[in-house]
Amino acid sequence: MGTPETSREPCPDRILDDIGGAFGMGAVGGSAFHFIKGVHSSPTGTRLFGGTQAVRMNAPRVGGSFAVWGGLFSAFDCSMVYLRQKEDPWNSIIAGAATGGFLSMRQGLGASARAAAFGGVLLGLIEGAGIMLNKVMSAQQDMPAMIEDPVPAMVGGPGFPMGQPHAQTQEGASVSGSESGSWLGGWFGGGKKKESEASSGSKTEILESFDAPPVPNFEYK
């Protein structure tokens, strides 16, 4: 369950960082909430003025309350990190419970225990959601990249039958290329070669079939 939180600041600087973030979140959220509430509760004609006045009166208070909660939470979190000598979600859960119990301490032991339980459960839900999100993101990053192999062309185009592999089409293309080359060669060089072969054969045939003239005989009869 324990994965160190590397996105947060180191512990001494974490307190100031959380105080500033909590104050900004409370001020912005409180401003929106109290502006809508002030506009709704103001009489007609002064709704905008009532909304802005409600923001000026209540937004700093809400932001300060959030800043106090964030500062105490970070202080308890850093204390748990120092005591346990490790970073894990249990530090945040214990710090949330301690913060809720500490802020409700003046209302009695029962109220402090209820606030501590509520803070611990709330931080546990937040940390659990964060762990689940990190696991989903890491699983998506660890998935191997699917590299598709080249599929043989099922339809090679016009003139190629269905399901004929690409290799056969290449062999057919080479055969047709050789045939076309021989056909073209017949027009240019191949025809002359055949003619020369045919002419040489005819010459040899003529020489073989030629009869030598009779030798003259000078004997007197």
Side-chain angles (χ1 to χ4, degrees):
M1 183 178 175
T3 54
E5 300 177 2
T6 57
S7 61
R8 299 184 67 183
E9 294 291 332
C11 224
D13 299 332
R14 185 182 300 179
I15 298 174
L16 295 177
D17 187 40
D18 288 347
I19 288 174
F23 178 81
M25 183 171 58
V28 173
S31 298
F33 175 77
H34 286 288
F35 179 79
I36 296 172
K37 185 177 179 180
V39 168
H40 180 72
S41 60
S42 298
T44 305
T46 59
R47 293 187 182 276
L48 184 61
F49 177 76
T52 54
Q53 187 177 8
V55 169
R56 287 196 302 267
M57 292 176 61
N58 296 305
R61 176 178 57 83
V62 176
S65 300
F66 272 72
V68 170
W69 197 94
L72 284 175
F73 172 79
S74 295
F76 283 120
D77 191 15
C78 290
S79 300
M80 294 306 300
V81 169
Y82 177 75
L83 292 175
R84 302 181 70 228
Q85 295 296 320
K86 62 180 178 178
E87 287 265 7
D88 60 0
W90 285 109
N91 295 333
S92 299
I93 294 173
I94 297 172
T99 302
F102 183 79
L103 292 176
S104 301
M105 189 177 295
R106 61 181 181 177
Q107 296 179 2
L109 186 60
S112 178
R114 287 192 297 270
F118 177 77
V121 170
L122 180 63
L123 265 297
L125 292 175
I126 294 173
E127 292 294 331
I131 292 171
M132 291 179 61
L133 183 61
N134 289 333
K135 285 185 177 180
V136 170
M137 297 297 293
S138 63
Q140 291 181 356
Q141 292 178 358
D142 293 340
M143 288 180 62
M146 301 298 293
I147 302 175
E148 296 182 357
D149 295 331
V151 181
M154 300 303 295
V155 180
F160 294 96
M162 290 288 294
Q164 184 177 4
H166 188 60
Q168 295 181 2
T169 58
Q170 289 182 352
E171 292 176 359
S174 63
V175 171
S176 61
S178 62
E179 291 178 355
S180 62
S182 62
W183 181 73
L184 293 174
W187 284 95
F188 297 100
K192 295 180 180 179
K193 185 176 181 181
K194 289 181 178 179
E195 290 178 359
S196 63
E197 291 177 356
S199 62
S200 62
S202 62
K203 288 180 180 180
T204 54
E205 289 177 359
I206 292 171
L207 290 175
E208 290 175 357
S209 63
F210 180 75
D211 294 334
V215 179
N217 190 2
F218 296 101
E219 294 179 359
Y220 179 74
K221 293 181 180 181

